[in-house]
Amino acid sequence: MRLGLVSRSVGAVAVVAGITLAPPVDAAPLVDYVAMGDSFSAGSGVEPVAPGGQDCLRSSRNYAHILAAKNDFRLTDVSCGAADTNDFFHPQKAGMKPQLAALDANTDLVTFSIGGNDGNVFATTIGKCVVVGAFGVAPGTPCDDLFAAGVAREIRMQTYPKLVRAMRAVRQKAPNAQVYALNYLRLVPNRAVACPGVPVTRGDVKTAYRIQTELSDAIERAAHKTGVTFVDVAVGSVGHEACKPRGVRYVEPLVGAAQLVPLHPNALGERQMAKVVGAAIGR
């Protein structure tokens, strides 16, 4: 069934042996929903892990599960921690299928976040920024000076075409589906401030923000190019970055995380993502 359609009544008023039968109540069509993507979609770090999701650290409280439970969607969740665009086409681990294998012409709804692991954009940026910033003690913007231009070039020249390829493949495998590509919740603010949970220099907090913006722009451009709907979950996460206290932040910090997987959405973040995606699909 297509998302947003209402099924027709299977019967009308009938009179049998003098008894008037009321027409059956129209039932909403069952929506076939496939959730794809990386750890932000999988909810890696948010307990509990979904049945069968141990290898991917796939949470039963990720945004896809929240959406499916709220709307009674039939969910197939193949999102997986550490996934990149290549894992749409090839098995990420032994015994797994490519994520695209979950799609077919009967799929009604697809959501995913992807791209942050291509070229190790997230891990490389944060890891190098922490090291060269001497865990927040060094002055200036050493990460910006040494690495930012190269990471931005990687995103524009390598990640963007990979995103286009992946999104086109999703559209081809699920031609009747509504497809939504998410960007990422904000890790740090757009200000040169101290962020003890993400121990880079004050100046390089803005560097990390700028690199994340570069990736978000690439995702948005790829979505527009391929006819996929872009969902901006980042904009609503401003003020809820990893620098904020527990109960406010949507993303856990690198230092002092309240879950096993740092720099990833917590349960509050996954609920926020479900809210934004739900609004985008009209649910």
Side-chain angles (χ1 to χ4, degrees):
M1 294 290 183
R2 301 283 72 79
L3 185 66
L5 295 183
V6 177
S7 60
R8 292 179 297 177
S9 174
V10 296
V13 176
V15 178
V16 179
I19 301 174
T20 302
L21 301 179
V25 177
D26 285 356
L30 189 62
V31 171
D32 283 310
Y33 172 25
V34 176
M36 305 172 64
D38 56 24
S39 52
F40 271 57
S41 287
S44 298
V46 178
E47 297 290 342
V49 174
Q54 289 83 0
D55 288 346
C56 288
L57 291 180
R58 185 186 305 123
S59 174
S60 63
R61 297 168 65 199
N62 64 25
Y63 74 82
H65 278 79
I66 295 170
L67 277 175
K70 178 182 177 182
N71 296 286
D72 198 26
F73 294 160
R74 182 163 53 197
L75 174 65
T76 301
D77 189 354
V78 294
S79 60
C80 193
D84 60 26
T85 56
N86 186 61
D87 299 314
F88 277 24
F89 302 91
H90 305 286
Q92 185 174 345
K93 300 179 181 181
M96 292 175 58
K97 295 180 180 179
Q99 292 195 20
L100 285 167
L103 304 177
D104 60 30
N106 294 315
T107 304
D108 300 307
L109 173 65
V110 183
T111 63
F112 55 82
S113 57
I114 201 71
N117 294 318
D118 285 82
N120 290 319
V121 167
F122 276 169
T124 298
T125 300
I126 297 299
K128 288 182 176 180
C129 286
V130 167
V131 171
V132 299
F135 296 88
V137 177
T141 56
C143 189
D144 194 12
D145 300 340
L146 294 171
F147 306 119
V151 175
R153 185 165 54 250
E154 170 80 20
I155 293 171
R156 290 193 295 267
M157 304 302 295
Q158 300 295 328
T159 305
Y160 170 71
K162 291 176 182 177
L163 287 166
V164 170
R165 175 175 178 251
M167 292 185 197
R168 278 181 174 159
V170 171
R171 298 290 296 135
Q172 291 168 357
K173 287 281 291 183
N176 300 311
Q178 293 185 15
V179 183
Y180 297 83
L182 287 63
N183 59 4
Y184 295 89
L185 298 174
R186 284 293 179 189
L187 302 178
V188 294
N190 187 25
R191 299 190 305 278
V193 297
C195 184
V198 185
V200 300
T201 68
R202 286 173 177 258
D204 276 334
V205 169
K206 292 189 69 172
T207 302
Y209 181 95
R210 191 171 70 253
I211 290 172
Q212 190 173 7
T213 299
E214 186 83 43
L215 178 59
S216 179
D217 289 345
I219 295 168
E220 184 173 11
R221 287 188 292 113
H224 290 166
K225 187 176 182 67
T226 57
V228 168
T229 301
F230 172 71
V231 181
D232 189 354
V233 299
V235 65
S237 67
V238 173
H240 299 273
E241 303 89 352
C243 308
K244 295 295 183 177
R246 188 173 182 178
V248 176
R249 64 189 183 228
Y250 292 159
V251 178
E252 288 300 305
L254 182 63
V255 178
Q259 63 187 35
L260 291 177
V261 184
L263 290 179
H264 278 71
N266 52 32
L268 191 61
E270 290 292 332
R271 290 198 296 270
Q272 171 66 13
M273 293 163 72
K275 178 181 176 180
V276 176
V277 176
I281 67 176
R283 296 296 182 113

